Amino acid sequence: MLDIPLWKRVLILGVVAIGLIWAMPNLFYSRVEAHNDALAASEQAGFVTDEQQAAIDGWPSWLPSGLVNLGLDLRGGAHLLAEVRVEDVYKSRMDSLWPELRRSLAEERDVIGAVRRVEGPADELHVQIENGDQMARAVEIARGLASPVVSLTGTGQNDLEFSASGNTLTVRLSDAEKTATDDRTIQQSLEIVRRRVDEVGTREPTIQRQGADRILIQVPGIGSAAELKELIGTTAKLTFNPVIGRGTDAEARAGIGNVVLPSQDENGVFYTVEEAPVVTGEELTDASPSFDQNGQPAVDFRFNPSGARKFGAYTAANIGQPFAIVLDNEVISAPVIRDAITTGSGQISGAMDVEGSTRLAVLLRAGALPAELTFLEERTIGPELGQDSIDAGKIASIVAIIGVVAYVVASYGIFGVFASVAVITNVILVLAFMSAIGATLTLPGIAGIVLTVGTAVDANVIIYERIREELRRGKRVASSIDTGFREAMSAIIDANVTTFIAGLVMFFLGSGPVKGFAVTLTIGLATSVFTAIYFTRMMIVIWLDRRRPKELVL
Amino acid sequence: MAFRLKLVPDQTSFNFFRWQKYTFGLSAVLMALSVILLLTMGLNFGIDFRGGTTIRTESTTAFEIGDYRDALTAIPDLGDISITEVFDPTFGEDRHVAQVRIGATEGMEAMTPEQIGQVETALKEVDPNVTFAAVESVGPKVSGELIKTAIYAVLAASLGILLYIWMRFEWQFAVGGVVAIVHDVLLTMGIFSALQLRFDLSTIAALLTILGYSINDTVVVFDRLRENLIRFKNMPLVEVMNLSVNETLSRTVMTAVTTAIALFALFALGGDVIRGFVFAMLWGVFVGTYSSIYVAKNIVLWLGVKRDWSKPDPDKLPEQFTESP
């Protein structure tokens, strides 16, 4: 027990040394961060500027450059929890199904008679059929439009459900299809939110799916949650719709298939437009901020080939008619078509400033969100408050370490020094491990580390107290130490496993501050067992070999 | 002989059961009191658990809470407003911090940016030097879920610990350990209710840590108890327990003191943002230590425990079987 083989010594020292090297970059936080940022930026751009080269040279590349991520509460930034309104998509599915269904039913007009869409809930399509007694035939035709759902759970089900009452045919999405659609909607929303945040180019944003229909967005360094919300909260659904009329009455009767939309910059003006768009923003390939002929900020855009073809055909057929450019249910402008536009490019101008046109271009490039987002939770932490917390945390940690070291050394003498070395090593190992896996350090996380300083001593204390007891029984020094370590093992393991259980629960069930705390606490537990059982023992064994004390006061 | 700081003498033989009626009674009374406090005064829930918005303002000049309040009550459609000034010894002369809390309003998720903008402009009007260090807003939907997961977390941790101790020891130990945990959690919630300290997500983290710390302490005593039960087969249970607690007392105090030193550094110097969190943990170290000495083993004594550990773990044989060097 008391002679540790050489390979074990090398291994223990190796772990400690690796810990030191991995933790070291955190001492030079800003320099390493600049190095990492410059490296990432230059890799993405494909070339290196002089400034970037200087930053890259600021930290030797052969040293590890992993850093502990600072949480939002330490770095400052914005946190948003958004819920995706997945039902929005059901409506647009129904709206786009209607023309198709109308065409299919019209083919058998002589049997079914005339059909028209009537009002119904947003996620259902209600169709009235003239010859109610031919409903069975109508349902049969409608069924032809359904297709099987491709998903793991919903196999064998069709995407559409049909029911009939009287002469009304009702179409809705099946549950399996709703689940599949929801999943797609969230994935799409995640992707688009990510693209939008990336366009702004901040460091290490966190964009995660949470639960069934939520997205968690954390962006360090951004000024406020409101700013972030403006960027990702806008649906940015751009459509080009035929204009039916223009008026000043918001309650004007639009007729089935048409909607009344407000104008963005003409107060009190409303346009009645066809709900089905000619072209949508999805067919844009590019958008960039520019200026119109009057020097006002505008956005240039370009369609993809199919969009350009549709737009060209529509404009050619409707010369002299107005069409509306609609963004998020507001008419930005409604120009009159003078010529067929076949080049596939155009310009949006309206009441906006340069900032607005830049943002609109970003939004159009990143694509429209498939559904609206509702924000359930938002937090902004100013960078100064974060810096204050870091400073306070640093001072508190140092004072805590000094206090604990003083107390332990006063209690156990040279063995106290060993315990202190172990405790400090422990903090270094926690930081090293967190840097290596890129874990995030939060303010409660700092508290977790400080607490670990207190509890890491515990394993040593259990061992030392045991050694004291053995010495008191009149055993020899080496024998006491040996027994002390062995007898203490079961208490150390039991004690740490129970705390570990609490830590794991916190990690998996907790969110935000609880999670940050759990990370450092559990890592600290694991490393403290290592330092107490292996590192302290090695120090003591080496000391025993050198001194060979006849008696020991502990 | 070298100097050694010893808060606990080498050999102690306190009778920890002598005042058992009083200590156990005190625990029971305090637990009952905590429940009553929780039912009558309730907890001062932070926005994490009841929704709403908090704004941390910082200003270089002194301000009047009344002025802030007047400025905010003028804004329509705002929930109930509470403003507290934050004092901290680490703040300099020219640092005045306030915590503004705006309750959630009916049917609203997070506050709209327009409303937050209105609040910020209104405050800037009465105090041009004010800056907004942190703005946090939680909708009622999320806060309801957060409270649910928090309760699940505490229950799941207790259950996990119960199962582990049951597996490693006997069921009586598991019950004793869990009663001690419940004792600590209740007393902590009780003091949060009595002092009306803000109870939020980080308090839950503190509760879970207290739970871990307290059980850690208890398990060390249990471990020794198990060992002594094997060694002294014929000693009355009360005496074996007293012996075990006395033998581990030095360690119990040592660990409590080191942890308290570390936490106290954080409490005094860690800033006001986490002070509540650290307070909960300091309190937890105190009640956790108390409960492992005075609560957990009393339950085990009361439940009785098997005395015939005929198949002990080979690793934990008494010392006479270990070889001398």
Side-chain angles (χ1 to χ4, degrees):
Chain A
M1 198 77 176
L2 279 185
D3 36 53
I4 303 174
L6 185 66
W7 67 269
K8 241 184 188 172
R9 294 184 191 209
V10 171
L11 200 67
I12 295 168
L13 282 178
V15 169
V16 174
I18 288 173
L20 272 176
I21 294 172
W22 273 354
M24 195 174 53
N26 293 297
L27 269 182
F28 308 93
Y29 203 95
S30 52
R31 210 195 293 177
V32 182
E33 189 167 56
H35 165 88
N36 291 351
D37 287 351
L39 209 59
S42 64
E43 260 169 31
Q44 205 175 20
F47 61 89
V48 188
T49 64
D50 286 349
E51 277 167 33
Q52 284 172 347
Q53 193 56 50
I56 292 173
D57 293 341
W59 183 253
S61 55
W62 48 270
L63 279 175
S65 55
L67 287 170
V68 173
N69 276 332
L70 294 181
L72 284 189
D73 52 349
L74 295 179
R75 194 197 282 278
H79 161 118
L80 287 177
L81 181 66
E83 190 170 59
V84 183
R85 296 226 322 236
V86 286
E87 315 83 51
D88 284 6
V89 179
Y90 306 157
K91 178 182 184 310
S92 60
R93 278 287 293 277
M94 287 301 128
D95 290 347
S96 63
L97 182 68
W98 166 234
E100 216 180 328
L101 182 63
R102 182 173 52 189
R103 208 174 315 122
S104 310
L105 292 175
E107 280 170 16
E108 304 218 9
R109 195 186 172 118
D110 36 335
V111 184
I112 302 166
V115 295
R116 63 189 187 95
R117 185 175 182 183
V118 289
E119 296 288 341
D123 58 345
E124 290 178 358
L125 179 58
H126 288 230
V127 181
Q128 220 169 54
I129 289 162
E130 200 179 15
N131 303 335
D133 50 333
Q134 291 299 321
M135 184 53 86
R137 178 68 193 137
V139 171
E140 201 184 311
I141 295 168
R143 258 208 188 106
L145 295 176
S147 53
V149 178
V150 187
S151 78
L152 288 175
T153 48
T155 36
Q157 281 200 54
N158 277 337
D159 59 349
L160 299 174
E161 272 176 8
F162 305 92
S163 60
S165 74
N167 56 354
T168 309
L169 170 69
T170 304
V171 187
R172 68 176 76 82
L173 293 178
S174 69
D175 286 344
E177 176 63 12
K178 276 185 179 170
T179 318
T181 311
D182 290 356
D183 203 59
R184 262 200 312 274
T185 311
I186 305 285
Q187 293 300 344
Q188 256 171 23
S189 306
L190 267 176
E191 184 52 41
I192 283 156
V193 167
R194 186 167 298 137
R195 263 191 265 164
R196 288 184 186 178
V197 174
D198 283 348
E199 288 260 7
V200 193
T202 62
R203 187 188 301 123
E204 289 159 11
T206 308
I207 297 154
Q208 281 171 349
R209 179 171 182 172
Q210 249 188 9
D213 55 359
R214 301 214 176 135
I215 299 177
L216 172 77
I217 306 133
Q218 291 187 322
V219 183
I222 201 164
S224 73
E227 207 175 297
L228 182 59
K229 229 157 116 175
E230 233 164 76
L231 181 69
I232 57 179
T234 327
T235 319
K237 190 172 171 208
L238 180 75
T239 55
F240 297 83
N241 304 49
V243 174
I244 309 279
R246 180 177 186 271
T248 51
D249 182 10
E251 308 293 323
R253 278 191 61 89
I256 298 291
N258 299 333
V259 278
V260 179
L261 297 176
S263 164
Q264 193 184 44
D265 45 352
E266 298 164 283
N267 228 337
V269 174
F270 293 86
Y271 288 91
T272 306
V273 301
E274 276 183 34
E275 204 170 1
V278 179
V279 201
T280 69
E282 276 162 46
E283 304 202 66
L284 289 184
T285 52
D286 192 25
S288 54
S290 66
F291 294 92
D292 65 6
Q293 68 269 40
N294 302 322
Q296 292 302 310
V299 174
D300 284 340
F301 61 85
R302 180 178 298 282
F303 285 119
N304 65 14
S306 91
R309 206 160 39 241
K310 278 190 235 171
F311 196 62
Y314 177 78
T315 47
N318 290 281
I319 291 178
Q321 299 289 323
F323 75 98
I325 301 175
V326 181
L327 181 73
D328 288 339
N329 292 324
E330 277 187 4
V331 176
I332 294 186
S333 62
V336 173
I337 303 165
R338 297 214 179 79
D339 291 303
I341 304 171
T342 49
T343 54
S345 61
Q347 192 178 57
I348 303 169
S349 57
M352 52 182 152
D353 50 13
V354 178
E355 207 180 297
S357 72
T358 314
R359 192 167 63 228
L360 180 58
V362 165
L363 294 175
L364 291 180
R365 259 202 313 275
L369 283 173
E372 224 178 284
L373 299 179
T374 327
F375 294 97
L376 305 177
E377 190 185 327
E378 52 180 283
R379 300 174 196 263
T380 311
I381 285 90
E384 296 87 11
L385 184 62
Q387 192 56 48
D388 287 352
S389 296
I390 294 179
D391 296 343
K394 260 187 201 159
I395 294 170
S397 308
I398 291 168
V399 171
I401 291 175
I402 292 173
V404 169
V405 165
Y407 179 60
V408 173
V409 171
S411 301
Y412 297 116
I414 180 82
F415 276 44
V417 175
F418 297 150
S420 303
V421 172
V423 165
I424 292 165
T425 309
N426 185 47
V427 172
I428 292 170
L429 285 181
V430 172
L431 285 178
F433 195 74
M434 290 183 72
S435 308
I437 62 171
T440 302
L441 183 70
T442 59
L443 187 53
I446 293 181
I449 292 182
V450 173
L451 184 73
T452 309
V453 170
T455 52
V457 184
D458 182 53
N460 287 298
V461 169
I462 294 179
I463 296 165
Y464 291 177
E465 289 297 328
R466 204 64 203 226
I467 297 175
R468 268 186 182 173
E469 273 176 53
E470 301 300 321
L471 285 171
R472 238 179 276 139
R473 290 191 183 135
K475 281 203 177 183
R476 275 188 283 169
V477 174
S479 162
S480 303
I481 292 174
D482 188 27
T483 322
F485 269 100
R486 191 171 5 189
E487 295 287 313
M489 274 304 280
S490 87
I492 292 176
I493 298 294
D494 282 338
N496 282 292
V497 168
T498 43
T499 316
F500 196 70
I501 291 174
L504 279 189
V505 168
M506 275 193 252
F507 185 77
F508 286 111
L509 280 181
S511 63
V514 181
K515 211 171 204 147
F517 177 71
V519 170
T520 51
L521 186 74
T522 38
I523 295 175
L525 278 177
T527 52
S528 74
V529 172
F530 166 80
T531 51
I533 296 180
Y534 295 105
F535 194 48
T536 314
R537 181 155 77 197
M538 198 182 77
M539 284 189 281
I540 292 175
V541 167
I542 292 173
W543 175 81
L544 265 184
D545 279 349
R546 293 256 173 93
R547 291 284 169 86
R548 304 209 165 271
K550 284 274 176 294
E551 63 177 68
L552 173 66
V553 181
L554 192 64
Chain B
M1 209 162 133
F3 165 76
R4 291 290 180 268
L5 174 69
K6 281 184 184 168
L7 296 183
V8 177
D10 278 347
Q11 213 98 49
T12 57
S13 51
F14 296 115
N15 181 359
F16 287 101
F17 289 93
R18 189 163 171 203
W19 309 107
Q20 137 155 261
K21 271 186 205 147
Y22 303 102
T23 55
F24 207 67
L26 180 70
S27 289
V29 168
L30 286 178
M31 278 166 81
L33 206 65
S34 298
V35 172
I36 293 169
L37 274 174
L38 286 174
L39 290 179
T40 53
M41 290 181 72
L43 287 165
N44 175 13
F45 282 124
I47 55 161
D48 290 338
F49 292 140
R50 69 165 187 204
T53 304
T54 56
I55 300 172
R56 183 187 167 93
T57 65
E58 293 203 6
S59 179
T60 47
T61 47
F63 60 87
E64 285 293 323
I65 288 181
D67 292 348
Y68 276 21
R69 180 181 305 279
D70 293 344
L72 295 185
T73 36
I75 301 171
D77 297 331
L78 231 48
D80 54 311
I81 299 159
S82 81
I83 302 168
T84 41
E85 185 162 5
V86 179
F87 296 100
D88 193 280
T90 58
F91 292 169
E93 272 294 293
D94 56 346
R95 198 156 166 219
H96 303 271
V97 177
Q99 190 84 26
V100 179
R101 189 161 82 187
I102 301 162
T105 41
E106 203 65 27
M108 277 280 289
E109 286 304 337
M111 236 167 127
T112 61
E114 290 78 31
Q115 275 183 313
I116 291 174
Q118 279 177 336
V119 169
E120 292 187 354
T121 2
L123 290 176
K124 273 229 188 291
E125 259 168 40
V126 290
D127 185 355
N129 297 322
V130 75
T131 54
F132 305 97
V135 182
E136 305 185 53
S137 188
V138 179
K141 196 172 193 172
V142 177
S143 60
E145 288 166 21
L146 287 177
I147 217 167
K148 226 185 284 165
T149 33
I151 293 170
Y152 288 159
V154 174
L155 288 181
S158 308
L159 193 74
I161 289 167
L162 182 99
L163 287 176
Y164 181 76
I165 301 183
W166 187 8
M167 217 171 66
R168 290 282 293 172
F169 299 90
E170 292 288 309
W171 67 267
Q172 292 92 336
F173 289 79
V175 174
V178 167
V179 171
I181 294 177
V182 172
H183 169 265
D184 301 340
V185 169
L186 261 183
L187 256 53
T188 308
M189 288 173 78
I191 199 158
F192 267 74
S193 173
L195 300 178
Q196 286 291 300
L197 298 173
R198 195 170 67 198
F199 193 92
D200 52 20
L201 264 185
S202 59
T203 319
I204 294 293
L207 273 183
L208 287 165
T209 319
I210 292 170
L211 208 137
Y213 179 88
S214 160
I215 203 70
N216 179 317
D217 231 26
T218 308
V219 162
V220 172
V221 178
F222 280 178
D223 189 79
R224 185 56 72 95
L225 179 57
R226 178 173 54 185
E227 193 185 312
N228 284 338
L229 281 172
I230 299 167
R231 197 183 295 175
F232 307 104
K233 288 207 170 61
N234 301 316
M235 199 189 269
L237 190 54
V238 181
E239 280 175 38
V240 185
M241 282 189 172
N242 258 330
L243 179 71
S244 310
V245 178
N246 276 303
E247 281 178 349
T248 49
L249 191 62
S250 175
R251 176 265 159 191
T252 306
V253 171
M254 186 79 201
T255 300
V257 172
T258 48
T259 312
I261 288 175
L263 285 176
F264 195 77
L266 204 58
F267 183 76
L269 303 168
D272 67 290
V273 181
I274 51 167
R275 185 152 295 139
F277 176 68
V278 179
F279 170 78
M281 291 208 282
L282 264 174
W283 170 257
V285 167
F286 180 69
V287 291
T289 307
Y290 177 87
S291 74
S292 51
I293 296 179
Y294 285 108
V295 179
K297 66 182 193 355
N298 296 48
I299 298 285
V300 178
L301 178 69
W302 182 58
L303 290 171
V305 73
K306 77 163 182 187
R307 296 304 308 269
D308 177 26
W309 297 66
S310 49
K311 267 192 239 162
D313 210 329
D315 288 342
K316 281 184 278 294
L317 282 182
E319 57 182 313
Q320 55 263 35
F321 295 110
T322 58
E323 82 278 36
S324 302

